[in-house]
C-alpha cells in the first residue's frame, strides 16, 4: 500500500517524500521536495492492482497522459510514473503543484453560495471537464473535497475553481468499474457508478450536477448511509427546488438524468453558466456606484495626458516574453474609454469600453481568463472579438489604486486559443503586482498598494 512509502523515500528519482498531508480511499498525498528544481510539490501515491510488467507499463502510460493535462481549471500535474513498494505492490505516483488554500467542502460548511457564484464555479469546472473529456479522460470522483477554490475573496466577489485528485481517473472506455467506491464518495456518484458499470463523460456531468445542487441548497441530494444514498439514485432523480428558478431547474434536471445519453456534455453545461450568472446577478443598472467611483478615480489620474513610461514598457515586454504571447498591455478603464498606457505588440491609445475585454476584468475584480474568445459565450459577442479574426486567447488581471479600487488591467492576448496553466496564471498575477506598484509610484498618492486579485 502507498503508506509503506515513508517520508524520506524518493520516487521518480527526484521527489523526496515528506509528511503526509492528505489521504483518501485510493491513496495518500505527501508534501515532497523536487530535488532537481528545489521546489515543494505534492505527490499522490495510488496503490495499483498491476502485477506484471506489462500491466505496470499500462498504468504508467495512463499516468503520463494525466501529467500532460494543462488547463487553468485543473491542478497542474508536473510528472508521473510507477514505483514498486518494498512489499512488491505497484504504486502509481503523481507529482503536482502544491496548493495552499481551502476546498469547496470546507467552504460549504459555512453555508450555501449565491447562484451567481455557483454559476461562475460551475463554468470553471465544466470547461475543465470538457478539456479532460476531449482528451479521452474521465475524472470519476467529482465532489466538493476535490474542488479547490482559487482567488477566493473575503467579499466573495468571484469564486474560481480547480479540480484536483485524479487518482481514480481512467481513460474513457476503460472497462474496469469502481466496484468498491461507496465509502466517502457515494453522495456524488452517478447511477452507472453505483451499478459498477464502465463510466464515461456523462458520469462526471451527473456528479457535477449534484455538486452544484449542494452549493445552491446546502443539502445532500441523497441523504442516508453510503449504500442507501448510492442506491437511491437508481430509482429517482434528486429533488430540485423550483425556487432555484427555471434556468437552474432545467439544467440540473438534465445533468442528473438517469439515462447518461440524456445528459448535456460538459461543454454544453459551460455554455449555460454565463446566462445563469447574469440571472443571479439580477438586472444591472447602466452605471453602478462602483463604476461611478472608478470613473471619478480615473478622471483624477488624467490618463490622456500620460507620457510613455519606459519601466511599464519593459514590464509589458517581459510579460509577453515570459508567457510567450504576441501581445501584453497595461490599460486603465474609465467611464467611457479604455486607455492602453503601455503595450508590447500593440500601440498606446484608447478605445470604447465595448471594444475591449478589460472592463470585464475590472468589473468582476478577479483574473479573467478565456481559452477561446470566439467560442466562449462570455466573449463571443464582444465587438473586438467579432472584428478580430486573429484573436483567440485573452487573460487579464485587475490593477488597483491605493484605495483598493480596480481601475485597470495587465492583460495578454494570443492569436490562437490556448490553455492557461495555474503556474502561468500565478506568473501573470505576479507581473500585475509589479505593474500596479509602478502605477502607484508614478501616478498615485503615497501609500500601500491595493490587492492584486
Amino acid at each position: 500500500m502507498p503508506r509503506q512509502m515513508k517520508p524520506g523515500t524518493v520516487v521518480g528519482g527526484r521527489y523526496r517524500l515528506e509528511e503526509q498531508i492528505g489521504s483518501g480511499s485510493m491513496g495518500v498525498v505527501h508534501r515532497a521536495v523536487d530535488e532537481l528544481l528545489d521546489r515543494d510539490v505534492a505527490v499522490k501515491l495510488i496503490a495499483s492492482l498491476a502485477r506484471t510488467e506489462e500491466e505496470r507499463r499500462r498504468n504508467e502510460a495512463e499516468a503520463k497522459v494525466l501529467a500532460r493535462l494543462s488547463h487553468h481549471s485543473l491542478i497542474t500535474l508536473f510528472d508521473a510514473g510507477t514505483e514498486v513498494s518494498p512489499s512488491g505492490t505497484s504504486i502509481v505516483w503523481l507529482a503536482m503543484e502544491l496548493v495552499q488554500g481551502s476546498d469547496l467542502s470546507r467552504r460549504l460548511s459555512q453555508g450555501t453560495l449565491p447562484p451567481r457564484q455557483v454559476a461562475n464555479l460551475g463554468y470553471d469546472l465544466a470547461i475543465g471537464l470538457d478539456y479532460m473529456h476531449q482528451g479521452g479522460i474521465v475524472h470519476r470522483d467529482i465532489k466538493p473535497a476535490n474542488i479547490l477554490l482559487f482567488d477566493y475573496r473575503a467579499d466573495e466577489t468571484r469564486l474560481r475553481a480547480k479540480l484536483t485528485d485524479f487518482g481514480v481517473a481512467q481513460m474513457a472506455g476503460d472497462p474496469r468499474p469502481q466496484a468498491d467506491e461507496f465509502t466517502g464518495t457515494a453522495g456524488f456518484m452517478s447511477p452507472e457508478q453505483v451499478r459498477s458499470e464502465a463510466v464515461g463523460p456523462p458520469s462526471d456531468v451527473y456528479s457535477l450536477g449534484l455538486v452544484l445542487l449542494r452549493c445552491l441548497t446546502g443539502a445532500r441530494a441523497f441523504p442516508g448511509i453510503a449504500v442507501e444514498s448510492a442506491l437511491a439514485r437508481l430509482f429517482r432523480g434528486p429533488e430540485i427546488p423550483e425556487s432555484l428558478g427555471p434556468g437552474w431547474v432545467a439544467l440540473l434536471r438534465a445533468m442528473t438524468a438517469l439515462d447518461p445519453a440524456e445528459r448535456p456534455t460538459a461543454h454544453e453545461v459551460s455554455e449555460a453558466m454565463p446566462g445563469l450568472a447574469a440571472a443571479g446577478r439580477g438586472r444591472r443598472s447602466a452605471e453602478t456606484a462602483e463604476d461611478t467611483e472608478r470613473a471619478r478615480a480615473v478622471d483624477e489620474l488624467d490618463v490622456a495626458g500620460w507620457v510613455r513610461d519606459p519601466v511599464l514598457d519593459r514590464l509589458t515586454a517581459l510579460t509577453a516574453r515570459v508567457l510567450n504571447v504576441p501581445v501584453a498591455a497595461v490599460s486603465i478603464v474609465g467611464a467611457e474609454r479604455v486607455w492602453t498606457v503601455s503595450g508590447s505588440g500593440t500601440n498606446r491609445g484608447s478605445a470604447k469600453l465595448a471594444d475591449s475585454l478589460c472592463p470585464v476584468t475590472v468589473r468582476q475584480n478577479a483574473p479573467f481568463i478565456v481559452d477561446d474568445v470566439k467560442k466562449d459565450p462570455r466573449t463571443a459577442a464582444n465587438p473586438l472579438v467579432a472584428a478580430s479574426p486573429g484573436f483567440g486567447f485573452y487573460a487579464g488581471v485587475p490593477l488597483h489604486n491605493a484605495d483598493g479600487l480596480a481601475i485597470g488591467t495587465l492583460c495578454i492576448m494570443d492569436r490562437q486559443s490556448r490553455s492557461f496553466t495555474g503556474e502561468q496564471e500565478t506568473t501573470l498575477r505576479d507581473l500585475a503586482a509589479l505593474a500596479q506598484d509602478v502605477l502607484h509610484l508614478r501616478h498615485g498618492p503615497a501609500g500601500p498598494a491595493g490587492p492584486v486579485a
Side-chain angles (χ1 to χ4, degrees):
M1 294 297 292
R3 292 177 179 81
Q4 294 175 317
M5 296 190 120
K6 300 178 180 179
T9 303
V10 175
V11 299
R14 60 188 281 189
Y15 304 105
R16 176 169 44 82
L17 303 182
E18 296 191 338
E19 75 274 16
Q20 182 178 317
I21 58 176
S23 63
S25 58
M26 293 296 290
V28 297
V29 181
H30 285 260
R31 183 187 300 272
V33 175
D34 181 345
E35 296 183 328
L36 179 62
L37 298 179
D38 191 26
R39 64 177 175 180
D40 290 337
V41 297
V43 172
K44 179 158 189 178
L45 306 174
I46 307 166
S48 169
L49 297 177
R51 292 293 181 267
T52 68
E53 188 60 31
E54 181 181 354
E55 289 174 334
R56 290 189 178 111
R57 281 198 299 270
R58 183 179 68 174
N59 271 353
E60 184 164 352
E62 290 183 353
K64 289 185 181 298
V65 168
L66 296 179
R68 289 198 293 269
L69 295 175
S70 178
H71 192 279
H72 63 268
S73 290
L74 307 177
I75 289 297
T76 302
L77 298 175
F78 300 130
D79 200 358
T82 58
E83 298 279 346
V84 178
S85 73
S87 66
T89 301
S90 181
I91 304 295
V92 176
W93 57 267
L94 304 172
M96 63 195 80
E97 62 177 307
L98 180 64
V99 175
Q100 306 289 347
S102 179
D103 60 46
L104 180 59
S105 180
R106 295 175 186 171
R107 172 60 185 82
L108 289 176
S109 68
Q110 304 170 24
T112 60
L113 298 174
R116 176 177 60 86
Q117 292 182 354
V118 178
N120 288 331
L121 181 152
Y123 176 83
D124 289 342
L125 298 173
I127 60 174
L129 285 176
D130 180 47
Y131 171 81
M132 288 182 61
H133 296 166
Q134 291 297 319
I137 299 171
V138 182
H139 188 285
R140 294 167 58 105
D141 198 17
I142 307 298
K143 59 184 179 181
N146 285 342
I147 297 168
L148 299 181
L149 302 183
F150 268 52
D151 302 324
Y152 180 70
R153 301 174 56 85
D155 60 2
E156 299 189 344
T157 300
R158 171 72 161 99
L159 284 176
R160 293 198 64 84
K162 282 180 180 281
L163 270 171
T164 186
D165 200 343
F166 302 96
V168 296
Q170 299 288 345
M171 298 299 292
D174 191 314
R176 293 170 295 177
Q178 281 180 275
D180 58 351
E181 285 306 295
F182 276 23
T183 303
T185 60
F188 302 94
M189 289 171 62
S190 67
E192 49 267 40
Q193 285 179 297
V194 175
R195 291 190 292 264
S196 296
E197 298 173 350
V199 300
S203 178
D204 284 346
V205 171
Y206 183 98
S207 298
L208 177 58
L210 294 188
V211 168
L212 298 180
L213 184 59
R214 178 71 176 271
C215 291
L216 291 165
T217 67
R220 295 176 59 188
F222 298 99
I225 62 175
V227 174
E228 178 183 298
S229 171
L231 294 178
R233 72 207 63 201
L234 296 180
F235 307 102
R236 65 174 178 87
E239 294 183 7
I240 303 173
E242 295 293 336
S243 60
L244 296 180
W248 276 114
V249 170
L251 179 63
L252 292 174
R253 282 180 179 165
M255 293 177 71
T256 56
L258 293 180
D259 184 351
E262 295 179 0
R263 299 171 200 157
T265 65
H267 180 70
E268 290 169 336
V269 172
S270 73
E271 289 183 318
M273 289 301 164
L276 292 172
R281 185 168 54 240
R283 184 174 295 276
R284 199 184 169 105
S285 62
E287 185 176 82
T288 66
E290 184 174 310
D291 291 332
T292 302
E293 187 178 356
R294 179 184 303 112
R296 184 182 302 113
V298 172
D299 283 344
E300 293 174 356
L301 293 176
D302 190 23
V303 182
W306 287 8
V307 298
R308 182 180 295 277
D309 189 321
V311 175
L312 281 180
D313 286 350
R314 291 181 66 182
L315 194 148
T316 51
L318 175 65
T319 301
R321 184 166 67 253
V322 168
L323 294 173
N324 191 29
V325 292
V327 176
V330 171
S331 300
I332 303 297
V333 179
E336 298 180 354
R337 301 192 71 79
V338 176
W339 286 271
T340 298
V341 297
S342 176
S344 176
T346 188
N347 296 324
R348 297 175 75 241
S350 68
K352 296 178 181 179
L353 291 181
D355 294 333
S356 173
L357 297 180
C358 296
V360 181
T361 309
V362 165
R363 281 189 167 177
Q364 77 172 27
N365 201 16
F368 184 53
I369 300 170
V370 187
D371 291 345
D372 190 331
V373 297
K374 296 192 182 301
K375 293 183 179 179
D376 194 306
R378 298 174 297 172
T379 55
N382 184 275
L384 174 64
V385 175
S388 306
F391 185 15
F393 166 83
Y394 172 91
V397 174
L399 306 176
H400 300 82
N401 64 8
D403 295 323
L405 184 68
I407 60 169
T409 69
L410 172 65
C411 70
I412 58 174
M413 291 174 277
D414 201 347
R415 298 180 183 88
Q416 304 296 323
S417 60
R418 59 187 290 176
S419 294
F420 209 48
T421 67
E423 187 172 2
Q424 289 172 319
E425 181 179 339
T426 298
T427 299
L428 182 60
R429 287 159 55 98
D430 290 343
L431 291 166
L434 294 176
Q436 182 171 279
D437 287 344
V438 172
L439 291 175
H440 283 210
L441 290 171
R442 298 289 201 274
H443 305 288
V452 172

